[in-house]
Amino acid sequence: STNARVITVGATDNAKNIDDLGAVYVYERESTDHLFLAQQKIVSIEGGERFGANIDMTPNGMFLAVTAWGAETVGTIYLFSRRDYSDEFSEVHRFDGQHSREYLGIQGISI
């Protein structure tokens, strides 16, 4: 976020024994005088999709877009939102690619 309160980190190979079961970690801090603390782990429910390969967040830190470009080779973009910094992100929409080998989101994402 532009206010330097939120950092997100993608980990496309997050779980042992399950290929490419990704996650996005959300870290936050109260102010620029405080350390970042882990607030949420958003986990992919399917292996093989490289969830978390690309991430973008709105400047206010309330919306988060995450790509999963390996999902059945078409690619998927997940949109998460929250109402306040004290809330966790929850999925509000999913965009799936339309064609085999489209890899929606492989080149990045911007919101």
Side-chain angles (χ1 to χ4, degrees):
S1 64
T2 56
N3 62 7
R5 285 187 58 189
V6 183
I7 293 175
T8 56
V9 179
T12 59
D13 193 11
N14 178 62
K16 293 180 180 176
N17 303 321
I18 302 174
D19 291 336
D20 304 321
L21 182 63
V24 172
Y25 295 88
V26 180
Y27 297 90
E28 296 187 50
R29 61 183 176 176
E30 298 269 332
S31 71
T32 55
D33 295 336
H34 292 87
L35 297 175
F36 283 97
L37 301 174
Q39 294 298 317
Q40 184 178 1
K41 179 181 177 182
I42 304 169
V43 181
S44 167
I45 59 171
E46 300 176 28
E49 67 174 5
R50 299 187 190 282
F51 180 82
N54 297 298
I55 305 168
D56 197 19
M57 181 184 297
T58 55
N60 66 2
M62 296 296 129
F63 289 92
L64 179 67
V66 179
T67 65
W69 54 265
E72 300 177 14
T73 71
V74 296
T76 300
I77 296 171
Y78 296 91
L79 182 61
F80 299 87
S81 72
R82 62 183 179 176
R83 294 181 183 191
D84 190 79
Y85 283 109
S86 61
D87 295 337
E88 288 193 342
F89 285 99
S90 57
E91 184 180 331
V92 294
H93 199 72
R94 173 183 170 155
F95 304 90
D96 291 316
Q98 301 299 307
H99 305 285
S100 180
R101 299 184 165 269
E102 183 175 358
Y103 297 108
L104 184 68
I106 194 171
Q107 298 296 325
I109 189 168
S110 180
I111 57 173

